[in-house]
Amino acid sequence: QVQLVESGGGLVQPGGSLRLSCAVSGRALSSYNMGWFRQAPVQEREFAATISRSGSRTNYADEAKGRFTISRENAKNTVYLQMNSLKPEDTAVYYCAADRNYGLGFTDDEYDYWGQGTQVTVSS
């Protein structure tokens, strides 16, 4: 059974930074492409970033480009999302997800395993 546990969320002022972590257990992280999604109140869950098994390929939602960086350390079974220049509209629950497929996934139905989420609130 694969388990994903996010951490690192919290309250941050506009313009600030946070680094989210996702610890994967049950199977080697290198078995999966990984993604980060987010869901704001009364909105659907949306794609934020994805990274390939080796970390050689990444892709971002337009809203994340230039501000968010996804990375991974397979030896530590951990995926990260560095978020800079945060805006109030980045407020959401952030989820990490694991994808067994070989192409990078951009929609939540392409992912097989999900964490419970971590709350990020951007407010002054």
Side-chain angles (χ1 to χ4, degrees), residues 37 51 59-60 109 122:
F37 287 75
I51 187 167
N59 213 312
Y60 298 89
D109 60 357
V122 185

Side-chain angles (χ1 to χ4, degrees), residues 81-96:
L81 186 68
Q82 177 68 43
M83 304 187 295
N84 299 327
S85 303
L86 283 163
K87 306 174 183 180
E89 51 264 44
D90 294 317
T91 295
V93 177
Y94 283 72
Y95 298 90
C96 72

Side-chain angles (χ1 to χ4, degrees), residues 17 29 31 72 105 109 116:
S17 298
L29 179 63
S31 300
R72 63 193 294 160
D109 60 357
Q116 83 290 346

Side-chain angles (χ1 to χ4, degrees), residues 6 20 24 74 76 85 91 98 101:
E6 302 95 335
L20 306 183
V24 177
N74 286 346
K76 294 184 177 181
S85 303
T91 295
N101 298 313

Side-chain angles (χ1 to χ4, degrees), residues 16-91:
S17 298
L18 280 176
R19 188 176 82 156
L20 306 183
S21 299
C22 174
V24 177
S25 61
R27 192 167 177 183
L29 179 63
S30 57
S31 300
Y32 304 100
N33 292 332
M34 298 296 294
W36 284 95
F37 287 75
R38 65 185 188 181
Q39 187 168 19
V42 301
Q43 292 188 16
E44 292 187 355
R45 189 161 54 188
E46 64 179 15
F47 167 76
T50 184
I51 187 167
S52 62
R53 283 168 172 75
S54 67
S56 62
R57 292 179 295 142
T58 59
N59 213 312
Y60 298 89
D62 287 343
E63 296 78 11
K65 288 177 181 176
R67 299 189 299 125
F68 293 6
T69 302
I70 188 171
S71 61
R72 63 193 294 160
E73 291 188 80
N74 286 346
K76 294 184 177 181
N77 268 13
T78 303
V79 180
Y80 305 98
L81 186 68
Q82 177 68 43
M83 304 187 295
N84 299 327
S85 303
L86 283 163
K87 306 174 183 180
E89 51 264 44
D90 294 317
T91 295

